[in-house]
């Protein structure tokens, strides 16, 4: 019996012991082996060990429409820092832009407007003219969140606008009396934080907040848990209590505070929930930290990664598995981290201007990373010719 004639369950067991190079060699044996080896099921175990392949820690596939073998090829470029740089959008006035990715659409705030830009499905190249512009704020947009049906923005005018993505209808939510520094939304729930030292809980059924929580400090970041039962807040750390708090949504009550050794002024600028009980934070104290809410009553972080040049970290994103991307405060530096290592894996200085600019926001897909700086949107294309895999 030929190797290719073995039962499929036996073949799957055999190839599970091969690495990606051996699999590629095996695929060149014959047409039947090529078809078998190119199946996603063959590559799934390998893909979970690589960076940003779309396979999360719990096994969820974020990009099921892209063959796993292709994603493993691209993952090697993420690991080795092989990419093509571009600046698809530039503007003359210095701004504090924010961006979000949703499939083949990139949303970018510029002053009081938010533009929606198409990404070419194959090349991911940004089409320079927005196909939709969301407006209505009397000041700059500070933050916005994107859901399947709405775009929710918070502005320096203290207002929150809920823009429908299906029509041109907008709902105004009024309550904050200073700029809305941060906002998050999931399944009709909206959490906002402001310089006015309050957090407000909203629903789409009312223009008034359901609850208002006094924070006694400026609120820089908020994030809703995937279960919708809790949310996290990050403050400026100018008072004598932890800047990182977890709240119960229904009771609007503080569940716990995380960390006790934050320096004064070490505000939390970004929060990412990776699971209902694990979250990542970054901010002025130059660290990325991983927190595990199951470790009660121990409230210290379980892992941390330090920005090597002592720069404030403005933003982070994770792939749900091994990779973290961070944006720092000087010269547009983006770093790629492997959670299994303590040192930075790769870094990219995006700004060539003599005047430094922070990376205000970054987002990545399986093949591209987009970063918003003061005067430009930068992109890193990792879908280049693979080095090891054919």
């Amino acid at each position: 019996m030929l190797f290719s004639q073995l039962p499929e369950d036996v073949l799957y067991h055999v190839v599970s012991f091969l690495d990606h190079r051996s699999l590629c060699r095996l695929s060149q044996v014959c047409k039947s082996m090529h078809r078998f080896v190119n199946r996603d099921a063959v590559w799934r175990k390998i893909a979970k060990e690589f960076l940003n392949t779309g396979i999360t820690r719990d096994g969820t596939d974020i990009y099921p429409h892209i063959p796993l073998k292709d994603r493993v090829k691209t993952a090697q470029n993420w690991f080795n820092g092989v990419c093509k740089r571009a600046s698809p959008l530039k503007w003359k006035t210095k701004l504090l832009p924010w961006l979000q990715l949703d499939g083949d659409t990139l949303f970018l705030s510029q002053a009081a407007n938010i533009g929606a830009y198409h990404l070419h499905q194959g090349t991911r190249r940004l089409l320079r003219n927005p196909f939709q512009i969301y407006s209505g704020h009397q000041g700059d947009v500070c933050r916005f969140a994107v859901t399947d049906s709405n775009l929710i923005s918070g502005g320096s005018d203290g207002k929150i606008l809920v823009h429908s993505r299906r029509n041109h209808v907008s709902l105004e939510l009024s309550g904050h009396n200073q700029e809305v520094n941060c906002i998050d939304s999931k399944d009709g729930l909206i959490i906002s934080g402001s310089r006015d030292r309050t957090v407000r809980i909203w629903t789409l059924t009312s223009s008034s907040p359901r609850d208002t929580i006094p924070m006694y400090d400026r609120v820089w970041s908020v994030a809703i848990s995937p279960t919708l039962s809790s949310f996290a807040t990050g403050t400026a750390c100018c008072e004598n209590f932890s800047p990182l708090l977890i709240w119960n949504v229904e009771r609007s009550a503080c569940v716990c505070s995380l960390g006790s050794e934050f320096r004064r002024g070490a505000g939390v600028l970004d929060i990412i929930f990776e699971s209902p009980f694990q979250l990542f934070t970054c901010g002025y104290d130059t660290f990325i930290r991983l927190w595990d809410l199951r470790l009660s009553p121990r409230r210290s972080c379980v892992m941390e990664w330090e920005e090597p040049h002592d720069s404030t970290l403005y933003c982070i994103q994770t792939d749900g598995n091994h990779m973290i991307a961070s944006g720092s405060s000087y010269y547009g530096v983006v770093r790629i981290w492997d959670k299994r290592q303590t040192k930075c894996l790769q870094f990219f200085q995006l700004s060539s201007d003599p005047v430094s600019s922070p990376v205000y926001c970054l987002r990545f897909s399986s093949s591209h990373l987009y970063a918003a700086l003061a005067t430009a949107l930068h992109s890193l294309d990792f879908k280049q010719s693979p080095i090891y895999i054919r």
Side-chain angles (χ1 to χ4, degrees):
M1 177 181 290
L2 298 176
F3 180 73
S4 59
Q5 294 175 328
L6 290 172
E8 285 197 351
D9 56 340
V10 176
L11 280 175
Y12 279 123
H13 182 71
V14 171
V15 299
S16 69
F17 294 96
L18 302 181
D19 63 13
H20 61 285
R21 295 183 183 90
S22 300
L23 279 178
C24 289
R25 295 188 186 106
L26 181 61
S27 70
Q28 297 172 3
V29 171
C30 62
K31 290 182 179 180
S32 62
M33 288 309 302
H34 179 79
R35 287 192 295 268
F36 177 80
V37 169
N38 280 1
R39 295 179 184 179
D40 279 1
V42 172
W43 288 90
R44 194 174 185 85
K45 179 181 176 182
I46 290 174
K48 196 171 182 180
E49 296 304 311
F50 278 77
L51 299 183
N52 195 28
T53 58
I55 304 298
T56 63
R57 186 177 297 132
D58 64 5
T60 302
D61 192 345
I62 303 175
Y63 311 113
H65 59 289
I66 306 174
L68 266 177
K69 181 181 177 181
D70 293 345
R71 284 182 266 167
V72 171
K73 291 180 182 179
T74 306
Q76 293 174 82
N77 291 333
W78 286 94
F79 183 86
N80 292 291
V82 179
C83 64
K84 181 180 179 181
R85 306 186 187 200
S87 301
L89 291 176
K90 294 183 179 181
W91 48 89
K92 295 182 179 180
T93 305
K94 288 188 177 180
L95 304 173
L96 278 73
W98 193 254
L99 61 88
Q100 297 286 3
L101 270 179
D102 183 32
D104 292 329
T105 304
L106 182 143
F107 298 88
L108 174 68
S109 66
Q110 295 171 283
N113 297 326
I114 302 170
Y117 297 83
H118 280 307
L119 297 171
H120 188 276
Q121 192 170 8
T123 64
R124 307 296 292 178
R125 181 176 57 85
L126 182 79
L127 303 185
R128 292 182 179 273
N129 295 319
F131 67 87
Q132 178 75 47
I133 294 178
Y134 300 90
S135 58
H137 285 284
Q138 301 304 311
D140 288 356
V141 173
C142 299
R143 292 288 188 274
F144 64 91
V146 176
T147 67
D148 290 341
S149 55
N150 297 301
L151 184 150
I152 303 99
S153 59
S156 59
D157 55 5
K159 296 179 181 178
I160 297 170
L161 296 179
V162 181
H163 309 270
S164 172
R165 293 178 62 182
R166 298 187 174 93
N167 51 52
H168 297 286
V169 177
S170 297
L171 170 67
E172 181 179 312
L173 310 179
S174 299
H176 291 292
N177 54 43
Q178 293 187 50
E179 58 259 45
V180 180
N181 291 322
C182 49
I183 198 161
D184 195 14
S185 179
K186 286 183 175 67
D187 289 352
L189 175 68
I190 301 171
I191 307 293
S192 62
S194 171
R195 184 181 284 269
D196 67 8
R197 302 187 171 203
T198 67
V199 164
R200 297 178 190 260
I201 304 175
W202 315 76
T203 63
L204 294 177
T205 58
S206 173
S207 60
S208 300
R210 195 198 75 186
D211 284 300
T212 299
I213 304 173
M215 296 295 294
Y216 311 106
D217 204 351
R218 289 167 293 172
V219 186
W220 289 136
S221 53
V222 296
I224 301 173
S225 166
T227 62
L228 305 180
S229 61
S230 63
F231 65 92
T233 59
T235 58
C237 200
C238 294
E239 304 297 333
N240 294 320
F241 53 82
S242 170
L244 185 57
L245 305 174
I246 307 298
W247 302 82
N248 179 276
V249 170
E250 289 300 321
R251 296 184 286 111
S252 302
C254 182
V255 177
C256 67
S257 62
L258 301 179
S260 59
E261 298 180 357
F262 287 94
R263 301 192 308 270
R264 186 175 179 84
V268 178
L269 295 180
D270 202 3
I271 304 172
I272 301 290
F273 269 98
E274 198 171 72
S275 74
F277 48 81
Q278 287 190 322
L279 63 153
F280 289 82
T281 63
C282 70
Y284 284 111
D285 65 351
T286 76
F287 281 91
I288 301 170
R289 289 189 169 93
L290 167 62
W291 309 84
D292 195 319
L293 302 181
R294 298 170 295 183
L295 301 181
S296 179
R298 181 173 175 263
R299 298 302 185 187
S300 58
C301 67
V302 294
M303 289 188 71
E304 60 184 22
W305 299 264
E306 184 177 11
E307 158 56 51
H309 291 160
D310 198 33
S311 301
T312 296
L313 293 174
Y314 272 65
C315 53
I316 51 175
Q317 188 185 354
T318 77
D319 67 349
N321 196 12
H322 299 305
M323 193 180 90
I324 308 171
S326 65
S328 65
S329 58
Y330 294 122
Y331 302 107
V333 172
V334 168
R335 296 188 185 275
I336 304 296
W337 308 78
D338 187 329
K339 298 175 190 175
R340 297 164 292 190
Q341 305 176 18
T342 56
K343 293 184 178 181
C344 167
L345 185 64
Q346 301 291 342
F347 82 95
F348 309 90
Q349 183 177 327
L350 303 182
S351 176
S352 59
D353 298 334
V355 179
S356 175
S357 169
V359 178
Y360 289 109
C361 186
L362 60 80
R363 293 290 182 264
F364 59 77
S365 63
S366 64
S367 59
H368 286 67
L369 184 146
Y370 303 92
L373 277 64
T375 58
L377 173 71
H378 296 262
S379 70
L380 300 176
D381 177 3
F382 291 88
K383 201 172 183 180
Q384 303 298 305
S385 298
I387 299 175
Y388 301 118
I389 191 171
R390 300 298 176 190

